[in-house]
Amino acid sequence: MQVSSVNDVKIYNLSYGKSLPEWLSDRKKRQLQKKDVEIQRRIELIQDFEMPTVCTSIKVSRDGQFILAAGTYKPRIRCYDTYQLSLKFERCLDSDVVAFDILSDDYSKLVFLHCDRHVEFHSQHGHYYKTRIPKFGRDFSYHYPSCDLYFVGASSEVFRLNLEQGRFLNSLQTDAVENNVCDINPIHHLFATGSSEGRVECWDPRVRNRVGKLDCALTNCHAQKFNSSLTVAVGTTTGQVLLYDLRSSQPLLVKDHLYNLPINSLNFHNQLDLVVSSDSKIIKIWNKDTGKLFSSIQPQTNINGVCVYPNSGMLFTANEDPKMNTFYIPALGPAPRWCSFLDNLTEELEENPESTVYDDYKFVTRKDLENLGLTHLIGSSLLRAYMHGFFMDIRLYHKVKGMVNPFAYEEYRKDKIRQKIEEARTQRVQVKKLPKVNKELALKLMEEGDDEAEVVSRKKKGKALPSILGDDRFKVMFENSDYQVDEQSEEFRLLNPIVSKVGQKRKKKLRLLAQQAAVPEDNDEEPEGRASSEEESSDDDKSWVEEVREQRRLLRQEDRDRRRQERKDADRNTVLPQFYQIKAGEEFRSFNDMAHKQKLQKYVFGNVPCSEQQKKQQQAEREHHEERKKLRRSAGHLSSIRGRGRGWGGRGRGRH
């Protein structure tokens, strides 16, 4: 079973898989079913639901129990019993079937219009009667109240065959040269024909007079279908479907299939107000009021006709292929009663989703093929052209990508791990800080936002506009490194030719913030043995978790090494204090005296050498310092004597 999703609508192809040839024996079929996995997994809803070569048309009886299909080659009719899920009978015919209809509620009364102008009637036991119409027929309809068969074809006349009397009645004369299709309204039994000139003529069977004419003004009418009492759909040979109200000559809606192929079938799904139209390429399901596409189905082979099973989400297609496709769309309705197990099966598949149709293929453009060096594969079976590129097998793509850039996958994997780590970090308690990408731009926006907020609060008029930092539309610009602003690029310099002082202050502030953030980051690190929120996810792949842990450990080690290196660089750039040594015998008073002495040492007096002059000057200074020391000692001695005298006198007076 193949599962595809178009416009978020799941479509299950129940006929997908290999089909076994009829000439194989039962023993061979059982052996293949044991060996081949695809044959084991296929769902055979109805046994032998296929034709030897091609299926031309398919219909369901009114009681819903029997499915009848006409095909070739050889021309034949097959009847399938849905209650038994198998083939009931098969009848071979003399010529190909152009159209057929079921007159009874079951399969007991059948009418076949052949390509050789013959009309053949079948009863429950088999062939019943055969007659011939004057012109080659293309379509017919049965009028139940009068038991009349209306045949249209390569003639302007509409031939009437009364089954109660068993004879032809007077034909209806139309204005068209040829009539392609016809239909009878199931409510008021209005008979309508579609001509090759693009006109629709309506006739009242009670008076056998034309009551109206509708000019589609496009091309030939190729399909026609009534819905309710006032709506009719007309399909053209150029791929348009026109919806008309019988009271108006202007179409209510025009739906184009855009394939320029004739519309071969029209059906209405009244439960959801949908129209199911098809050409040989695609089946489109769309709303009859708005024309909005609901879903579409594109089989691998050309389509000859579509039959919708009543009051369900199942439809059958007649194809240019031996196998008749069976599609089940749960969104349209439940499964029929005879295959109600499909509802449980599809529910289980939705709980455990598998890969869809295009998951095994990679879409590449011509430029991608040039980068991979695979342009020589264009036109081969390895590339399938689609729109402006090609589809290729995903395994081949990964293999060639690995050969061209062997480290691309590892880099991609590391980036994904970094993203998962960052996502886990964002789930923690958020602290207002600058992002890792475009920090300077974020700081500028924050400053501008603060200024605007102050202005608004000062004026008290209205509310401030939302900040770009808090807008989800610009969230990726501060998270993905691909959006980093390159200030060295030519475009940035043209837009910002002058480097302002505000920008320089902002950069300085960023450096200070980075130095402050380096300290708390050491304390915020998690121990290596502790699992993070990302590692506590429900992922069962242990190898992936271990690799994430290893990558996180390496990232923390890189951060520590980087901060350690920054500290070393900062210590290396710091200016150490200068120390001065005072010579023995000298007294330090101030740095000004030292500077004055150094200046004096540079002078040379007369013819005396600089070294002798310096010695004399130093000797004079020593003598001067010695004299000052002696004076200080004598002054201190006198002050101590005075202090002791005052103390004794005070104590002596106190005793007396």
Side-chain angles (χ1 to χ4, degrees), residues 58-68 82 102 105 225 267-272 276 306-316 327-329 332-339:
I58 186 170
K59 289 190 177 183
V60 179
S61 62
R62 284 197 293 273
D63 60 2
Q65 182 178 354
F66 302 99
I67 302 172
L68 289 100
T82 57
I102 306 170
D105 291 339
K225 189 70 174 178
N267 294 277
F268 286 90
H269 194 279
N270 295 322
Q271 285 78 11
L272 298 177
V276 182
V306 177
C307 175
V308 179
Y309 196 91
N311 302 321
S312 72
M314 181 174 289
L315 54 90
F316 306 100
F327 295 98
Y328 176 51
I329 307 175
L332 289 181
R337 185 177 59 181
W338 49 272
C339 58

Side-chain angles (χ1 to χ4, degrees), residues 23-35:
W23 43 265
L24 278 181
S25 62
D26 294 339
R27 183 180 178 183
K28 288 283 187 182
K29 290 181 181 179
R30 286 194 297 270
Q31 290 178 356
L32 286 174
Q33 288 177 355
K34 292 179 181 179
K35 295 179 182 179

Side-chain angles (χ1 to χ4, degrees), residues 595-605 610 614 617:
H596 180 66
K597 291 179 182 179
Q598 290 176 0
K599 288 180 181 180
L600 292 175
Q601 290 175 1
K602 295 179 182 178
Y603 297 137
V604 178
F605 298 96
C610 182
Q614 289 177 357
Q617 185 178 355

